[in-house]
Amino acid sequence: MALLRCEDSQTSQSAARSPSLTEMIAQLQASIDEQVTYRESLNSKLEGVLEDVKRATNNVAKKYECVNNAKLQVEAMKKDLQEEQSNLECARAKVGAAFKTRAPRLNFDSDQANGCGNGQAASAAIVSTLRGAPTPVLNTFISYHLSLGFDRLYLYFDDPHDVGIAVAASWAGGERVEVIPADKSLRQEWETCTMWQELSKTVSVNNMSRQQLNCELAARRALHHGIAWLVHIDIDELFHLPGAFEAAGEIYDVETCSPVARHFGAVPASVPYLAYLNHEAVPEKLGEFENYFEEVTLFRRNPHDISGAFSFTGELDVVGINNASTATHPQLASLKYWTGQTKAWLDEPCFFHAYCNGKSAARVTPGLCPRGVHRWDKQPGNCQYVTSDAAHILHFSNCGEASFIKKHQWLQDCTSAYVSEMPFYRKVVGALRAGDEDGAQRMYRNLVALLDPKQVEQQLIAGVCLRVAPMRMLDVDQLRRGAATRFLSSLD
């Protein structure tokens, strides 16, 4: 019995430990419900992912469509661009031609001038402010312009102790060459000028201020001497009339019909001012020149004389130059040599190193004053240029390494705008101010001088450069003797 009770007890305890069928079913149902919930959650997430995939697929399709549309637009734009490029080339050619007529050229027949033989009607003088000019250069400047037929040269020496004063004074005893040093007497004259109040504050540090005051005083002198025209140029410039000396080096007197008399005598009476394009000298060797007027014959042609060189804004058309084809626009394409060089050295593409807006002549009238150093009072900036084939200015701006350094050293304290605004002057003067004379010299050797004969020939063939040798016919000694004879005759 005891054994039976023990077995019953164990059975009862085992039954107590084992879950009932109901509990098992409940647990199984709970597990199923949990799995269903989890499955529903997964389905919901899957639906979300599918929705995201669907949206992404739609976005990709739209973007693909946008890309295709963009490709079509690019192709259309390419066609439009090609058409515009073609139109631009045509427009550029028209603008180039229009620009040369926009500032109308004066082309008058000097051979039919009615000014010859009537004395003052065709007379002309030059005013120039100078400093430190080498004796050969000064002598040639004087001899050339006197032989060309200028009646008087008004030479204002910026340094009252300049050795050139004695050299200039030796010409005809002052009959046609007037020497005016910047001494106390001249400074007193400056104070009588109309422009004195405007320029007095900068006269000691700005050579252009002194040039303008000297021009106003020279205009008074010219009026007193009965001169009809007054031209303002620098000592490193020549007023050039092509073909003027083809008559076997004939030396002209004021009494004869000189090239200058023919030139100014042919100007219509309605024209009060003339502007002349300047061409810029290009040395073909390093070192110094004894007389650059005689030794330098290569010049960069003024960009105003190169069709298409300027844009609609009047600035150098660098984009047009870079896109120019050698086959269709050889002259414009050849400018790339110069703009490339200056871009590399000056950080800015240029063609000329100095000015390119020419110099001017004015009829001498009471109260005549300059407007800057390139124009005269009331003369429009966009004025009438004389056609370059008839007359132009030869600018020997940077000829000789030592002279180049000396010239720009003088400009270190100058407040003229061109020193700060013109890239070439700014770089060179900036280098010298920093004590980097070697840097300035490297710019001369790489930007100013052109030493490659093949490049020279290419520039000449393209018409970007030209050869001019105005001095080959001059006989300086003969002219000096003739001038002295006239002066002595005037004393009788």
Side-chain angles (χ1 to χ4, degrees), residues 298 326 330-331 333-338 450 452-465:
L298 182 67
T326 305
Q331 192 178 41
S334 293
L335 286 175
K336 281 187 276 191
Y337 170 79
W338 305 101
L450 182 54
D452 182 0
K454 291 184 179 179
Q455 186 62 237
V456 170
E457 186 66 20
Q458 180 180 331
Q459 295 292 321
L460 287 169
I461 291 173
V464 172
C465 287

mmCIF file of all heavy atoms in Angstrom, residues 298 326 330-331 333-338 450 452-465:
data_model
loop_
_atom_site.group_PDB
_atom_site.id
_atom_site.type_symbol
_atom_site.label_atom_id
_atom_site.label_comp_id
_atom_site.label_asym_id
_atom_site.label_seq_id
_atom_site.Cartn_x
_atom_site.Cartn_y
_atom_site.Cartn_z
ATOM 1 N N LEU A 298 62.008 98.321 -87.380
ATOM 2 C CA LEU A 298 60.844 97.438 -87.275
ATOM 3 C C LEU A 298 59.840 98.041 -86.293
ATOM 4 O O LEU A 298 60.210 98.479 -85.207
ATOM 5 C CB LEU A 298 61.281 96.050 -86.792
ATOM 6 C CG LEU A 298 60.173 94.989 -86.674
ATOM 7 C CD1 LEU A 298 59.631 94.627 -88.042
ATOM 8 C CD2 LEU A 298 60.700 93.741 -85.953
ATOM 9 N N THR A 326 44.580 81.376 -88.972
ATOM 10 C CA THR A 326 45.682 81.847 -89.824
ATOM 11 C C THR A 326 45.284 81.809 -91.291
ATOM 12 O O THR A 326 45.722 82.653 -92.085
ATOM 13 C CB THR A 326 46.937 80.982 -89.594
ATOM 14 O OG1 THR A 326 47.251 81.002 -88.195
ATOM 15 C CG2 THR A 326 48.119 81.511 -90.382
ATOM 16 N N PRO A 330 44.891 85.989 -91.238
ATOM 17 C CA PRO A 330 46.311 85.875 -90.856
ATOM 18 C C PRO A 330 46.832 87.048 -90.043
ATOM 19 O O PRO A 330 47.643 86.871 -89.140
ATOM 20 C CB PRO A 330 47.030 85.767 -92.213
ATOM 21 C CG PRO A 330 46.069 86.365 -93.201
ATOM 22 C CD PRO A 330 44.711 86.036 -92.692
ATOM 23 N N GLN A 331 46.359 88.257 -90.345
ATOM 24 C CA GLN A 331 46.841 89.427 -89.608
ATOM 25 C C GLN A 331 46.373 89.373 -88.165
ATOM 26 O O GLN A 331 47.164 89.566 -87.230
ATOM 27 C CB GLN A 331 46.363 90.717 -90.285
ATOM 28 C CG GLN A 331 47.045 91.969 -89.767
ATOM 29 C CD GLN A 331 46.574 93.226 -90.491
ATOM 30 O OE1 GLN A 331 45.401 93.385 -90.774
ATOM 31 N NE2 GLN A 331 47.507 94.113 -90.810
ATOM 32 N N ALA A 333 45.343 86.703 -86.542
ATOM 33 C CA ALA A 333 45.927 85.526 -85.891
ATOM 34 C C ALA A 333 47.361 85.780 -85.441
ATOM 35 O O ALA A 333 47.807 85.246 -84.415
ATOM 36 C CB ALA A 333 45.867 84.328 -86.836
ATOM 37 N N SER A 334 48.093 86.600 -86.187
ATOM 38 C CA SER A 334 49.493 86.877 -85.833
ATOM 39 C C SER A 334 49.615 87.721 -84.578
ATOM 40 O O SER A 334 50.692 87.786 -83.976
ATOM 41 C CB SER A 334 50.204 87.568 -87.000
ATOM 42 O OG SER A 334 50.330 86.683 -88.097
ATOM 43 N N LEU A 335 48.522 88.368 -84.180
ATOM 44 C CA LEU A 335 48.542 89.127 -82.925
ATOM 45 C C LEU A 335 48.669 88.205 -81.717
ATOM 46 O O LEU A 335 49.055 88.643 -80.637
ATOM 47 C CB LEU A 335 47.269 89.966 -82.796
ATOM 48 C CG LEU A 335 47.154 91.211 -83.686
ATOM 49 C CD1 LEU A 335 45.779 91.839 -83.522
ATOM 50 C CD2 LEU A 335 48.228 92.218 -83.355
ATOM 51 N N LYS A 336 48.336 86.915 -81.909
ATOM 52 C CA LYS A 336 48.404 85.965 -80.791
ATOM 53 C C LYS A 336 49.823 85.839 -80.241
ATOM 54 O O LYS A 336 50.002 85.537 -79.056
ATOM 55 C CB LYS A 336 47.879 84.598 -81.232
ATOM 56 C CG LYS A 336 46.362 84.509 -81.269
ATOM 57 C CD LYS A 336 45.877 83.112 -81.551
ATOM 58 C CE LYS A 336 45.854 82.824 -83.025
ATOM 59 N NZ LYS A 336 45.146 81.563 -83.348
ATOM 60 N N TYR A 337 50.819 86.046 -81.098
ATOM 61 C CA TYR A 337 52.197 85.990 -80.597
ATOM 62 C C TYR A 337 52.404 87.031 -79.501
ATOM 63 O O TYR A 337 52.963 86.745 -78.440
ATOM 64 C CB TYR A 337 53.180 86.233 -81.740
ATOM 65 C CG TYR A 337 54.604 86.435 -81.250
ATOM 66 C CD1 TYR A 337 55.390 85.351 -80.894
ATOM 67 C CD2 TYR A 337 55.141 87.719 -81.117
ATOM 68 C CE1 TYR A 337 56.682 85.526 -80.418
ATOM 69 C CE2 TYR A 337 56.430 87.913 -80.641
ATOM 70 C CZ TYR A 337 57.195 86.818 -80.299
ATOM 71 O OH TYR A 337 58.465 87.000 -79.816
ATOM 72 N N TRP A 338 51.921 88.260 -79.736
ATOM 73 C CA TRP A 338 52.141 89.361 -78.795
ATOM 74 C C TRP A 338 51.236 89.219 -77.565
ATOM 75 O O TRP A 338 51.695 89.429 -76.429
ATOM 76 C CB TRP A 338 51.877 90.695 -79.487
ATOM 77 C CG TRP A 338 52.690 90.871 -80.726
ATOM 78 C CD1 TRP A 338 52.271 90.702 -82.016
ATOM 79 C CD2 TRP A 338 54.075 91.224 -80.804
ATOM 80 N NE1 TRP A 338 53.297 90.928 -82.886
ATOM 81 C CE2 TRP A 338 54.418 91.253 -82.174
ATOM 82 C CE3 TRP A 338 55.049 91.519 -79.859
ATOM 83 C CZ2 TRP A 338 55.697 91.567 -82.620
ATOM 84 C CZ3 TRP A 338 56.326 91.843 -80.291
ATOM 85 C CH2 TRP A 338 56.641 91.863 -81.660
ATOM 86 N N LEU A 450 62.583 91.711 -80.260
ATOM 87 C CA LEU A 450 62.182 90.539 -81.033
ATOM 88 C C LEU A 450 63.423 90.047 -81.771
ATOM 89 O O LEU A 450 63.857 90.659 -82.751
ATOM 90 C CB LEU A 450 61.058 90.890 -82.013
ATOM 91 C CG LEU A 450 60.495 89.748 -82.858
ATOM 92 C CD1 LEU A 450 60.038 88.593 -81.981
ATOM 93 C CD2 LEU A 450 59.340 90.237 -83.729
ATOM 94 N N ASP A 452 64.008 86.789 -82.966
ATOM 95 C CA ASP A 452 63.830 85.653 -83.870
ATOM 96 C C ASP A 452 63.536 86.141 -85.290
ATOM 97 O O ASP A 452 62.448 86.667 -85.549
ATOM 98 C CB ASP A 452 62.677 84.779 -83.365
ATOM 99 C CG ASP A 452 62.454 83.541 -84.219
ATOM 100 O OD1 ASP A 452 63.187 83.355 -85.211
ATOM 101 O OD2 ASP A 452 61.542 82.752 -83.897
ATOM 102 N N PRO A 453 64.481 85.977 -86.228
ATOM 103 C CA PRO A 453 64.267 86.466 -87.603
ATOM 104 C C PRO A 453 63.040 85.842 -88.269
ATOM 105 O O PRO A 453 62.357 86.512 -89.052
ATOM 106 C CB PRO A 453 65.553 86.057 -88.326
ATOM 107 C CG PRO A 453 66.566 85.885 -87.242
ATOM 108 C CD PRO A 453 65.812 85.377 -86.058
ATOM 109 N N LYS A 454 62.749 84.572 -87.964
ATOM 110 C CA LYS A 454 61.579 83.922 -88.565
ATOM 111 C C LYS A 454 60.286 84.564 -88.075
ATOM 112 O O LYS A 454 59.353 84.764 -88.850
ATOM 113 C CB LYS A 454 61.590 82.423 -88.230
ATOM 114 C CG LYS A 454 62.699 81.643 -88.921
ATOM 115 C CD LYS A 454 62.586 80.155 -88.608
ATOM 116 C CE LYS A 454 63.683 79.369 -89.327
ATOM 117 N NZ LYS A 454 63.596 77.911 -89.021
ATOM 118 N N GLN A 455 60.238 84.883 -86.786
ATOM 119 C CA GLN A 455 59.054 85.540 -86.244
ATOM 120 C C GLN A 455 58.913 86.949 -86.819
ATOM 121 O O GLN A 455 57.802 87.403 -87.110
ATOM 122 C CB GLN A 455 59.122 85.595 -84.715
ATOM 123 C CG GLN A 455 57.875 86.141 -84.043
ATOM 124 C CD GLN A 455 56.650 85.306 -84.311
ATOM 125 O OE1 GLN A 455 55.637 85.815 -84.828
ATOM 126 N NE2 GLN A 455 56.706 84.023 -84.008
ATOM 127 N N VAL A 456 60.036 87.629 -86.987
ATOM 128 C CA VAL A 456 60.013 88.959 -87.608
ATOM 129 C C VAL A 456 59.419 88.874 -89.006
ATOM 130 O O VAL A 456 58.535 89.661 -89.379
ATOM 131 C CB VAL A 456 61.438 89.557 -87.672
ATOM 132 C CG1 VAL A 456 61.443 90.820 -88.542
ATOM 133 C CG2 VAL A 456 61.946 89.887 -86.273
ATOM 134 N N GLU A 457 59.891 87.902 -89.781
ATOM 135 C CA GLU A 457 59.402 87.749 -91.154
ATOM 136 C C GLU A 457 57.917 87.417 -91.168
ATOM 137 O O GLU A 457 57.163 87.943 -91.991
ATOM 138 C CB GLU A 457 60.198 86.636 -91.851
ATOM 139 C CG GLU A 457 59.880 86.470 -93.323
ATOM 140 C CD GLU A 457 60.299 87.679 -94.162
ATOM 141 O OE1 GLU A 457 61.150 88.460 -93.690
ATOM 142 O OE2 GLU A 457 59.791 87.836 -95.276
ATOM 143 N N GLN A 458 57.497 86.562 -90.245
ATOM 144 C CA GLN A 458 56.085 86.199 -90.172
ATOM 145 C C GLN A 458 55.216 87.405 -89.842
ATOM 146 O O GLN A 458 54.147 87.596 -90.439
ATOM 147 C CB GLN A 458 55.884 85.115 -89.110
ATOM 148 C CG GLN A 458 54.433 84.659 -88.963
ATOM 149 C CD GLN A 458 54.281 83.586 -87.903
ATOM 150 O OE1 GLN A 458 55.201 82.812 -87.638
ATOM 151 N NE2 GLN A 458 53.114 83.527 -87.263
ATOM 152 N N GLN A 459 55.670 88.222 -88.907
ATOM 153 C CA GLN A 459 54.922 89.422 -88.524
ATOM 154 C C GLN A 459 54.847 90.427 -89.666
ATOM 155 O O GLN A 459 53.830 91.099 -89.857
ATOM 156 C CB GLN A 459 55.549 90.060 -87.282
ATOM 157 C CG GLN A 459 55.472 89.205 -86.021
ATOM 158 C CD GLN A 459 54.056 89.050 -85.507
ATOM 159 O OE1 GLN A 459 53.258 89.985 -85.535
ATOM 160 N NE2 GLN A 459 53.729 87.858 -85.021
ATOM 161 N N LEU A 460 55.918 90.529 -90.428
ATOM 162 C CA LEU A 460 55.931 91.442 -91.579
ATOM 163 C C LEU A 460 54.997 90.943 -92.673
ATOM 164 O O LEU A 460 54.253 91.724 -93.281
ATOM 165 C CB LEU A 460 57.356 91.582 -92.118
ATOM 166 C CG LEU A 460 58.325 92.398 -91.262
ATOM 167 C CD1 LEU A 460 59.755 92.245 -91.766
ATOM 168 C CD2 LEU A 460 57.927 93.876 -91.251
ATOM 169 N N ILE A 461 55.040 89.638 -92.938
ATOM 170 C CA ILE A 461 54.177 89.070 -93.980
ATOM 171 C C ILE A 461 52.710 89.241 -93.606
ATOM 172 O O ILE A 461 51.873 89.571 -94.459
ATOM 173 C CB ILE A 461 54.514 87.571 -94.188
ATOM 174 C CG1 ILE A 461 55.899 87.425 -94.826
ATOM 175 C CG2 ILE A 461 53.462 86.899 -95.068
ATOM 176 C CD1 ILE A 461 56.393 85.995 -94.906
ATOM 177 N N ALA A 462 52.394 89.038 -92.324
ATOM 178 C CA ALA A 462 51.003 89.176 -91.871
ATOM 179 C C ALA A 462 50.544 90.630 -91.843
ATOM 180 O O ALA A 462 49.347 90.903 -91.796
ATOM 181 C CB ALA A 462 50.848 88.554 -90.486
ATOM 182 N N GLY A 463 51.485 91.571 -91.873
ATOM 183 C CA GLY A 463 51.119 92.980 -91.821
ATOM 184 C C GLY A 463 50.918 93.505 -90.417
ATOM 185 O O GLY A 463 50.447 94.631 -90.236
ATOM 186 N N VAL A 464 51.275 92.704 -89.408
ATOM 187 C CA VAL A 464 51.196 93.172 -88.032
ATOM 188 C C VAL A 464 52.361 94.111 -87.732
ATOM 189 O O VAL A 464 52.234 95.060 -86.964
ATOM 190 C CB VAL A 464 51.194 91.974 -87.058
ATOM 191 C CG1 VAL A 464 51.310 92.438 -85.614
ATOM 192 C CG2 VAL A 464 49.918 91.163 -87.239
ATOM 193 N N CYS A 465 53.491 93.847 -88.333
ATOM 194 C CA CYS A 465 54.655 94.734 -88.236
ATOM 195 C C CYS A 465 54.953 95.355 -89.591
ATOM 196 O O CYS A 465 54.503 94.862 -90.640
ATOM 197 C CB CYS A 465 55.886 93.967 -87.739
ATOM 198 S SG CYS A 465 55.824 93.532 -85.990
#
